[in-house]
């Protein structure tokens, strides 16, 4: 039987009712202290009723790691309660909700960041400012921030965590040889560049336990010679795959370069390449806006689930329309067969 978008799927021990996921989307509407508010409760609550899973926007583990000044965070215990309100609003539709934990690294907002951190002292571009290469205590403190944010995620009633290791933010900066020029055990070989992610994952797991769903979002390519590739990323993630439950495959963001051709499903080949190398469910994202394309990706085994972002901004019912289209086609087929 062919798999389609309406089929359920498991992320770890969590069963999703279908394979259409709301991708993380910053709202740029948090308070200056990084608190979520009524906007977030309304926005996510309104979009939760059809998708199998909602992934909340990039949520900073550190006050210094916000990507934009009005990003939300989970960097103090006081940030937990507003996230619980969002979780409750999403749960009202019977839909699970993950939070995306992030640290902006060298791309953190200069407006809210006292000291920009990065694996190496290499700036993203002129507007972002010069980062400091993280020393041992910076690394330990940041890992501890991830651990505390994970504890708060559980406390907030969130159903899982997506670790943001994509789009040129701190974890991606460690993974890529273009931004990680370190000569210690966190740089050099693929294994060394994956060490920071490995330690962050272990710290998060130390709070959540093995049964709590954790996925990782990666950028499978840096769109530049000498950068990350799906092949290398697969080798880096393989030793960690027993510690996470799904991989969400995006692309780019490390350098100020754009992909040459952004057609429908343009990132699917990266998801497919990583799916071949790993034994966890893989999520494809990026201009997958039609039911037929989503089903084709699943049927052809290129990915196990599909995420959508931009169509949900304007049309909160977009996911319901994608999902019900198939049911209508089914009904038409059924009545033709009578
Ligand atoms: C307004 C906006 C905010 C976004 N914020 C995030 C984010 O917080 N974390 C993230 O990993 N990706 C973020 N993305 C990327 C989306 O999750 C998604 O990967 C991208 O938009 C491609 O999917 P789409 O073609 O369905 O929109 C954002 C995209 C948009 C348009």
């Amino acid at each position: 039987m062919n798999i389609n978008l309406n089929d359920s799927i498991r992320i770890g021990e969590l069963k999703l009712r279908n394979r259409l996921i709301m991708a993380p989307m910053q709202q740029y509407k948090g308070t200056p202290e990084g608190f979520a508010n009524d906007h977030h409760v309304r926005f996510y609550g309104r979009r939760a009723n059809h998708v199998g899973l909602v992934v909340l926007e990039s949520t900073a583990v550190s006050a210094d790691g916000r990507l934009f000044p009005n990003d939300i965070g989970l960097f103090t215990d006081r940030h937990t309660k507003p996230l619980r309100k969002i979780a409750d609003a999403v749960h009202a539709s019977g839909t699970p909700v993950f939070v995306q934990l992030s640290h902006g690294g060298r791309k953190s907002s200069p407006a809210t960041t006292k000291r920009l951190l990065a694996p190496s002292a290499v700036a993203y571009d002129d507007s972002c400012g010069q980062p400091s290469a993280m020393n041992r205590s910076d690394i330990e403190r940041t890992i501890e921030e991830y651990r505390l944010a994970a504890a708060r995620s559980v406390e907030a009633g969130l159903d899982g965590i997506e670790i943001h290791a994509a789009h040129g933010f701190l974890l991606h900066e460690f993974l890529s040889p273009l931004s990680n020029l370190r000569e210690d055990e966190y740089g050099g070989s693929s294994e060394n560049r994956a060490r920071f992610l490995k330690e962050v994952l272990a710290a998060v797991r130390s709070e959540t336990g093995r049964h709590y769903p954790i996925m990782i979002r990666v950028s499978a390519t840096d769109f530049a010679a000498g950068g990350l590739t799906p092949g290398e990323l697969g080798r880096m993630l393989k030793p960690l795959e027993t510690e996470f439950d799904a991989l969400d495959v995006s692309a780019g963001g490390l350098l100020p370069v754009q992909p040459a051709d952004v057609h429908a499903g343009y990132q699917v080949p990266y998801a497919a390449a990583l799916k071949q190398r790993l034994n966890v469910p893989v999520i494809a994202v990026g201009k997958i806006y039609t039911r037929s394309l989503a089903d084709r990706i699943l049927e052809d085994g290129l990915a196990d689930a599909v995420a959508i972002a931009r169509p949900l901004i304007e049309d909160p019912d977009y996911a319901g329309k994608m999902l019900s289209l198939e049911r209508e086609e089914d009904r038409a087929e059924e009545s033709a067969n009578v």
Side-chain angles (χ1 to χ4, degrees):
M1 201 192 81
N2 278 337
I3 293 167
N4 76 68
L5 203 58
N6 271 306
D7 289 332
S8 64
I9 185 171
R10 281 184 189 280
I11 307 254
E13 295 177 11
L14 180 73
K15 188 174 176 185
L16 310 188
R17 64 184 167 211
N18 62 53
R19 294 175 182 234
L20 186 57
I21 294 172
M22 178 172 174
M25 263 189 294
Q26 281 151 298
Q27 294 301 298
Y28 315 109
K29 290 247 166 62
T31 69
E33 303 80 24
F35 293 114
N37 54 40
D38 287 349
H39 164 81
H40 301 88
V41 173
R42 274 197 307 275
F43 181 83
Y44 290 108
R46 178 66 183 84
R47 284 157 183 78
N49 53 349
H50 297 292
V51 288
L53 173 70
V54 170
V55 183
L56 302 182
E57 66 202 86
S58 170
T59 300
V61 299
S62 158
D64 274 350
R66 278 177 278 178
L67 321 183
F68 289 87
N70 42 15
D71 274 354
I72 62 172
L74 261 179
F75 44 83
T76 74
D77 289 343
R78 288 182 305 129
H79 289 85
T80 306
K81 199 170 159 192
L83 268 286
R84 175 171 281 283
K85 287 188 182 164
I86 304 176
D88 290 346
V90 174
H91 288 158
S93 298
T95 307
V97 51
F98 289 12
V99 64
Q100 188 188 51
L101 294 184
S102 78
H103 189 301
R106 68 182 186 175
K107 285 171 76 177
S108 299
S109 165
T112 48
T113 304
K114 287 191 240 42
R115 191 169 149 249
L116 280 182
L117 296 179
S120 305
V122 183
Y124 170 74
D125 66 9
D126 292 345
S127 69
C128 278
Q130 182 65 25
S132 312
M134 288 168 79
N135 60 30
R136 175 66 61 148
S137 78
D138 294 325
I139 289 178
E140 283 169 8
R141 193 185 56 255
T142 307
I143 291 171
E144 178 65 1
E145 287 168 340
Y146 273 96
R147 186 184 71 74
L148 291 169
R152 294 179 190 119
S153 305
V154 176
E155 175 66 23
L158 295 154
D159 303 286
I161 289 172
E162 176 168 271
I163 295 175
H164 197 346
H167 302 168
F169 302 120
L170 186 61
L171 284 160
H172 183 178
E173 291 161 21
F174 269 86
L175 293 173
S176 176
L178 298 178
S179 45
N180 182 345
L181 312 179
R182 299 177 75 95
E183 291 176 354
D184 63 1
E185 68 270 40
Y186 292 95
S189 66
S190 306
E191 186 188 356
N192 280 358
R193 280 180 277 118
R195 192 177 308 282
F196 184 56
L197 173 60
K198 181 181 172 183
E199 292 180 357
V200 164
L201 187 55
V204 168
R205 273 276 177 238
S206 74
E207 282 300 329
T208 66
R210 184 61 193 89
H211 301 294
Y212 192 77
I214 295 180
M215 43 192 213
I216 301 177
R217 182 170 251 207
V218 289
S219 285
T221 171
D222 293 328
F223 297 120
L228 278 179
T229 61
E232 187 187 20
L233 204 50
R235 285 193 296 281
M236 293 166 109
L237 293 171
K238 191 75 187 162
L240 310 182
E241 72 179 345
T242 54
E243 292 304 314
F244 64 95
D245 302 298
L247 188 70
D248 183 2
V249 181
S250 189
L254 187 82
L255 306 171
V257 291
Q258 298 299 325
D261 179 14
V262 182
H263 55 274
Y266 71 105
Q267 297 181 144
V268 173
Y270 306 123
L274 281 156
K275 185 168 159 53
Q276 279 178 3
R277 291 167 169 84
L278 298 168
N279 289 318
V280 293
V282 166
I283 301 160
V285 66
K287 285 201 156 185
I288 304 170
Y289 298 162
T290 64
R291 180 61 201 251
S292 55
L293 177 57
D295 277 344
R296 209 149 22 95
I297 290 164
L298 301 177
E299 276 165 27
D300 291 351
L302 304 176
D304 301 287
V306 160
I308 54 166
R310 284 166 288 186
L312 286 167
I313 299 176
E314 291 300 318
D315 182 356
D317 296 314
Y318 195 89
K321 289 170 189 165
M322 264 177 93
L323 288 158
S324 66
L325 194 62
E326 206 262 346
R327 285 199 286 274
E328 278 159 23
E329 282 166 4
D330 276 354
R331 277 199 291 276
E333 217 170 89
E334 275 165 24
S335 49
N337 289 338
V338 172

